[in-house]
Amino acid sequence: MATANHNTGNLEQKIIEAARETFLNRGYSETSMSDIAVRAGINRPTLHYYFRTKERMFGAVFGSIVGALVPRVKDIILRSDIPIGKRVQLVIDAYYEVFKENPRLPLFIVKEIDRDYDNVVRTARELGLQTYMDSIRKGLQDEMDSGKLRQVPMRYLFMTFYSMLIIPFATCNLCNNLFVAEGECFDDMLAEWKAYIVSAVERTLTI
Amino acid sequence: MATANHNTGNLEQKIIEAARETFLNRGYSETSMSDIAVRAGINRPTLHYYFRTKERMFGAVFGSIVGALVPRVKDIILRSDIPIGKRVQLVIDAYYEVFKENPRLPLFIVKEIDRDYDNVVRTARELGLQTYMDSIRKGLQDEMDSGKLRQVPMRYLFMTFYSMLIIPFATCNLCNNLFVAEGECFDDMLAEWKAYIVSAVERTLTI
DNA sequence: GTCTATAACCTGATAGAC
DNA sequence: GTCTATCAGGTTATAGAC
């Protein structure tokens, strides 16, 4: 049994968790080391003991924040037994699940792409995102070549998909205010919108 | 003729211009009063003389930043002699023109919607944005009711349109890296994408 | 109206006691 | 390994000379 004072690795995990939540909710620039320290229930110097600088601290958690997305989506995309159309729908479901747990994740990523794009690229490489993208690309291209799907430039398919997926979450204040009807809540609208994305992508791919 | 030392209103305009550009390019949180002072060629205290706080300074220029969008779009939307489908296309052209001059404007607005939504609402009210939205909404609804256009929920039309319009600009680093082919530049891709948006919206409205 | 000087505070980061 | 004390530098903001 460990002594009460020394919680080796335990506190580090606590700090990481506090940093993860604070950075995710406020973004890098709006987060101070004090914010994280308060959330972790310790003081700033201890933070610097574990992660020397703010930038290192951020680096330590950024991967795990973005990484929350990957496993769920990965499992679906690699299921080549499922037709690609159905897979696209399942991918949206997976993203939606994660974003409902972490509604601020989409805006967080968009801001980071702007703030420190090199780190985003590095993280994407570590997570092996290229593999998944290639897999989707290949799956779609095969069905396009065999005539099952309409020939659509791959990049515009991706851009359409991610545009429609991200914007309602990234601008939820505005969307909630402008586009949620009376007697309806934001989640109701989001659910309808999900179906709309699927139908839009399907229409693009089949007509 | 005014004396050389006293440039009443002149310096204020210079400060506003410096603030406009700095806030637009770096966002609120990443901009300091020093940054603006340097850009305006004066020192900080003078900034505070004209606009007591950073928040007030921002408020003074936010309207003019967003307002750059309104007049061009407004003129098009109110042209009820032009069929709404054509008007949508012209609106995209207008947005594109502004965004090519100010590529960081879309992300700036998205970030502000998150940071201080109340100010966004206030500004939108001052600019009379409701009028333009209602005008578009009415124009579309008329043509839907008369059978010229397919019945599509208005909100999803707006969300599709703005999603596809904003994301390539807001994530230009990523899009440039992932989606620009060899021997092509970002602007080439953007131009193709514009045509794609128009066709996507048309397809949504006519099939 | 614009400057110098400075207040009051917060930031990230380090040294050193325990 | 975690704390107190402290640093240098940057932040917004104000007081007061000119």
Side-chain angles (χ1 to χ4, degrees), chain A residues 7 11 43 45-46 49-50:
Chain A
N7 18 6
L11 182 55
N43 48 21
T46 308
Y49 169 76
Y50 283 93

Side-chain angles (χ1 to χ4, degrees), chain A residues 75-98:
Chain A
D75 289 346
I76 296 158
I77 293 175
L78 297 182
R79 288 280 300 276
S80 48
D81 53 314
I82 303 176
I84 190 71
K86 180 68 181 171
R87 265 186 279 168
V88 168
Q89 187 189 327
L90 290 173
V91 167
I92 299 182
D93 285 341
Y95 275 120
Y96 251 71
E97 255 182 63
V98 180

Side-chain angles (χ1 to χ4, degrees), chain B residues 13-27:
Chain B
Q13 204 49 47
K14 202 170 169 185
I15 291 174
I16 288 180
E17 186 52 29
R20 220 195 68 90
E21 282 169 17
T22 314
F23 279 130
L24 178 55
N25 283 321
R26 302 231 264 257

Side-chain angles (χ1 to χ4, degrees), chain B residues 9-199:
Chain B
N10 186 347
L11 183 54
E12 179 166 356
Q13 204 49 47
K14 202 170 169 185
I15 291 174
I16 288 180
E17 186 52 29
R20 220 195 68 90
E21 282 169 17
T22 314
F23 279 130
L24 178 55
N25 283 321
R26 302 231 264 257
Y28 181 87
S29 307
E30 293 84 359
T31 295
S32 76
M33 295 295 261
S34 304
D35 294 336
I36 300 171
V38 168
R39 181 155 221 160
I42 56 165
N43 48 20
R44 262 170 294 132
T46 308
L47 241 56
H48 284 94
Y49 169 77
Y50 284 94
F51 307 89
R52 273 172 28 93
T53 70
K54 183 184 174 183
E55 197 64 57
R56 275 167 196 253
M57 164 94 88
F58 184 81
V61 298
F62 180 68
S64 86
I65 293 175
V66 180
L69 278 169
V70 178
R72 311 206 201 186
V73 177
K74 161 191 172 184
D75 289 345
I76 296 158
I77 293 176
L78 298 182
R79 288 281 300 277
S80 48
D81 54 314
I82 303 177
I84 190 71
K86 180 71 181 167
R87 264 186 280 168
V88 169
Q89 186 188 329
L90 290 173
V91 166
I92 300 184
D93 285 342
Y95 275 120
Y96 250 71
E97 254 183 63
V98 181
F99 290 163
K100 281 206 173 168
E101 280 173 42
N102 309 296
R104 300 189 55 78
L105 183 51
L107 180 57
F108 172 82
I109 294 174
V110 168
K111 282 165 80 172
E112 272 307 299
I113 288 171
D114 180 61
R115 193 191 68 88
D116 187 359
Y117 182 60
D118 287 347
N119 186 41
V120 172
V121 171
R122 206 177 311 123
T123 306
R125 199 166 292 146
E126 283 165 12
L127 291 169
L129 287 190
Q130 193 64 50
T131 313
Y132 312 133
M133 237 181 107
D134 287 346
S135 174
I136 280 231
R137 200 188 291 267
K138 192 184 168 307
L140 285 166
Q141 196 61 59
D142 285 351
E143 302 208 15
M144 283 181 189
D145 293 344
S146 72
K148 282 191 201 161
L149 296 179
R150 195 166 73 97
Q151 289 281 354
V152 183
M154 204 59 71
R155 58 185 182 181
Y156 300 140
L157 216 53
F158 275 97
M159 285 167 67
T160 304
F161 178 81
Y162 281 104
S163 293
M164 295 175 79
L165 182 65
I166 287 171
I167 281 293
F169 289 95
T171 63
C172 57
N173 283 334
L174 184 70
C175 287
N176 187 39
N177 204 322
L178 288 184
F179 300 132
V180 171
E182 283 192 13
E184 195 190 33
C185 70
F186 188 60
D187 280 358
D188 294 337
M189 190 274 277
L190 271 186
E192 259 196 57
W193 176 245
K194 182 166 77 171
Y196 188 83
I197 301 179
V198 173
S199 74

